[in-house]
Amino acid sequence: MLIAAVIALGVGTYAMRLSGVLLRDRLELSPAVQRLLPMAAAALLAALAGTAALMAGTEFAGVARPAGVAVGALLAWRKVPFVLVVVAAATVAALLRLAGLP
């Protein structure tokens, strides 16, 4: 059963990718849709990052994780080197958890 599901998902993924290549010249998008498509990927990534930062399974992750992510986002916005962003975000989350915040 698992092998059949993996094969079905693989065939479906391949067909979806192939349809994009085959329909590229036949499908004409409106200028509004063409302007919005590049932003769709950024919106999807932002939604995934927000969900991962705020949720642990089906429940709220607590204060420490979102606070660490917020510090990391602030430092990344200020163009601090990536290593320092990761270390600062982890340090903030660890210190808040050490202080007893979930």
Side-chain angles (χ1 to χ4, degrees), residues 15-91:
M16 190 176 301
R17 289 177 178 234
L18 184 63
S19 68
V21 173
L22 294 175
L23 294 175
R24 181 184 315 165
D25 295 334
R26 296 181 185 171
L27 190 62
E28 190 167 321
L29 300 175
S30 68
V33 172
Q34 288 180 356
R35 192 176 58 245
L36 290 176
L37 276 178
M39 291 187 277
L44 179 63
L45 287 175
L48 287 172
T51 302
L54 295 175
M55 302 299 291
T58 59
E59 298 180 4
F60 179 59
V63 176
R65 187 190 299 177
V69 171
V71 168
L74 178 68
L75 293 176
W77 177 57
R78 301 299 301 168
K79 299 189 186 289
V80 174
F82 182 70
V83 172
L84 294 179
V85 170
V86 172
V87 169
T91 301

Side-chain angles (χ1 to χ4, degrees), residues 1-8:
M1 181 65 181
L2 180 63
I3 296 297
V6 169
I7 291 172

